[in-house]
Amino acid sequence: MQENQVNTQRYEEDEIDLRELFKTLMKNKIKIVLITSLITLGAVVYAFVMPKIYEGKVILKVGEYKLANANANANANANANANANANANANTKITIADASELSKELEILFIDILKNEKNREAKIDSINLIKQQKNFLEISALGSSNDAVSLEIKKVVEYTQNKHQKLLDEVKESHNNETKYLESKLLILKTKTLPSLTEKIKRYKNDVTLYESNLLDLKQNFKKIKNSNPTLAAIQINEQRYLVDTISKLKNSLESFENEKEDIELIQIEALKEQIKTLQVLIKPYNYKNTQIVGKIMTNDYAIKPKKKLIVVVAFVTGLILSIFLVFFMEFIKGFRDEDQPSLS
């Protein structure tokens, strides 16, 4: 019974407190509306006076080129800006630059160095790698207009493309020089080396025929004089040995020349033709792709900052809470003074 009375008393006290709070709010509603309105109006003015900021983005794909066969590894290692993971067993795609290193370079040039420059209509905000896409970069810029943002992004793109185009031109020049070298080597083999070998082979064959004929004559003559003139026969035996040895050497040299000629005709010339053919294909423009924009520069018709609606809503809520707090605080101070006045009398 006593517990019920206590609960009822507490409920009545709470009800009285809520009524008092509501009365206080209603009594000061004009102040609350005025303070909230002033703060909200200030936010509206701020939102419309604050300069507009537009955003632009672009996706950049790092360019690439092709190298042939065993040349891929050597050239990839020689080029500091090339991707070293080249496959030497086939025509290999080489990335012009490592995307991570390129992003750092562009950040230094277009963000860090320029960050203290004032009165800029636009600036590069970020240059990031795209996840799971090793050769793609996302460039973001902020500025006072879409035109200014697009112009700033184009500066980065043009710088990158000009630099990478120089690298591609160097690769093309290297392929052209290598092609010319192989063509000149092929021409020398056809016009000088092979004719020279053919002439040697012909001369050596004639010499073999001549020495064999001389040897045959000596053998026939030896049969005639071996009994009648032993001294001359002994001399002819030495001459025969000399001719046999000379013929053997000539035949060995002849065989070597014929093998060399066959190697040049069937292997070296065909290999050179194949290399030249491969290089001529690699020189084609479609094997050289400069760094380029994927799609186009993306901009919005509206500014991303200031976010007027958000600013006004936050200001309204803040103003309402602040005005209510001020009202209760003022009532608290007033009540505190009212309590002190009787004690002074």
Side-chain angles (χ1 to χ4, degrees):
M1 185 70 177
Q2 185 177 1
E3 185 178 353
N4 291 334
Q5 290 178 351
V6 172
N7 289 335
T8 302
Q9 184 178 358
R10 287 179 179 174
Y11 175 77
E12 291 176 351
E13 289 176 356
D14 291 342
E15 187 177 3
I16 292 171
D17 289 341
L18 290 174
R19 286 178 180 176
E20 290 298 325
L21 291 175
F22 183 73
K23 287 179 180 180
T24 302
L25 292 174
M26 292 304 295
K27 183 175 66 174
N28 295 280
K29 62 183 179 181
I30 296 178
K31 293 180 181 178
I32 294 173
V33 172
L34 184 61
I35 294 171
T36 303
S37 299
L38 287 174
I39 293 176
T40 304
L41 181 61
V44 171
V45 173
Y46 172 78
F48 279 90
V49 171
M50 187 178 179
K52 295 180 179 179
I53 297 178
Y54 292 83
E55 182 183 39
K57 291 183 179 181
V58 72
I59 304 298
L60 205 61
K61 182 182 180 183
V62 180
E64 59 189 20
Y65 58 91
K66 285 185 179 181
L67 289 178
N69 301 327
N71 293 328
N73 275 337
N75 285 296
N77 292 328
N79 186 350
N81 294 301
N83 181 0
N85 296 322
N87 179 7
N89 296 321
N91 289 349
T92 306
K93 288 184 178 180
I94 306 295
T95 304
I96 296 176
D98 180 82
S100 178
E101 293 181 3
L102 178 61
S103 67
K104 292 176 183 177
E105 177 187 353
L106 296 178
E107 282 180 0
I108 293 172
L109 292 175
F110 292 95
I111 297 180
D112 297 341
I113 293 178
L114 301 177
K115 65 182 178 181
N116 293 324
E117 286 192 9
K118 298 180 179 179
N119 301 322
R120 295 175 62 196
E121 292 186 0
K123 65 178 182 178
I124 301 299
D125 183 54
S126 64
I127 301 174
N128 299 315
L129 296 173
I130 297 179
K131 292 182 179 179
Q132 299 178 349
Q133 298 291 335
K134 64 179 182 178
N135 296 331
F136 290 82
L137 296 176
E138 182 183 70
I139 302 173
S140 176
L142 301 176
S144 58
S145 67
N146 283 331
D147 290 340
V149 166
S150 298
L151 183 61
E152 194 68 20
I153 290 176
K154 287 179 181 178
K155 291 180 182 178
V156 181
V157 175
E158 288 175 0
Y159 167 83
T160 306
Q161 288 179 331
N162 290 337
K163 180 179 180 180
H164 289 177
Q165 186 59 50
K166 291 179 181 179
L167 293 173
L168 290 177
D169 290 342
E170 290 176 2
V171 175
K172 288 180 183 178
E173 185 65 22
S174 175
H175 284 162
N176 282 324
N177 291 337
E178 188 174 359
T179 302
K180 291 177 181 178
Y181 167 75
L182 294 177
E183 288 175 342
S184 65
K185 189 175 180 180
L186 178 61
L187 183 63
I188 290 173
L189 285 177
K190 287 182 174 181
T191 60
K192 294 183 178 181
T193 306
L194 278 179
S196 176
L197 278 173
T198 302
E199 182 63 28
K200 281 183 180 180
I201 291 170
K202 181 180 179 181
R203 187 171 69 249
Y204 273 57
K205 284 181 177 180
N206 291 335
D207 290 344
V208 168
T209 301
L210 178 62
Y211 283 122
E212 285 178 342
S213 177
N214 291 338
L215 180 61
L216 182 61
D217 291 341
L218 281 174
K219 287 180 178 180
Q220 290 175 352
N221 190 43
F222 175 78
K223 291 178 180 180
K224 295 177 181 179
I225 66 172
K226 68 178 180 178
N227 294 323
S228 60
N229 193 346
T231 303
L232 184 60
I235 294 173
Q236 287 190 353
I237 289 174
N238 290 331
E239 289 181 357
Q240 288 181 33
R241 289 175 179 174
Y242 171 76
L243 287 174
V244 169
D245 184 58
T246 301
I247 292 169
S248 177
K249 289 179 180 179
L250 286 172
K251 286 184 176 181
N252 288 336
S253 297
L254 182 60
E255 183 180 2
S256 176
F257 291 147
E258 288 177 339
N259 289 336
E260 184 179 356
K261 181 183 177 184
E262 184 178 359
D263 179 72
I264 291 173
E265 290 176 333
L266 300 180
I267 298 177
Q268 293 186 37
I269 288 179
E270 293 304 317
L272 285 172
K273 287 180 178 179
E274 188 64 28
Q275 291 178 41
I276 292 170
K277 182 180 178 181
T278 301
L279 285 170
Q280 287 174 341
V281 172
L282 287 177
I283 293 172
K284 300 294 182 182
Y286 56 77
N287 288 316
Y288 301 85
K289 294 182 180 179
N290 197 358
T291 298
Q292 57 188 350
I293 293 174
V294 179
K296 62 179 182 179
I297 298 175
M298 297 171 285
T299 57
N300 298 315
D301 294 334
Y302 53 86
I304 63 166
K305 294 179 182 180
K307 296 181 178 180
K308 297 177 183 178
K309 292 181 179 179
L310 180 62
I311 292 174
V312 172
V313 171
V314 171
F316 173 78
V317 174
T318 303
L320 182 62
I321 294 173
L322 181 61
S323 62
I324 293 173
F325 171 76
L326 289 175
V327 165
F328 283 122
F329 182 73
M330 291 168 63
E331 287 295 322
F332 172 76
I333 297 298
K334 183 178 178 182
F336 184 74
R337 290 177 178 176
D338 291 342
E339 289 179 1
D340 289 345
Q341 284 180 359
S343 61
L344 293 175
S345 58

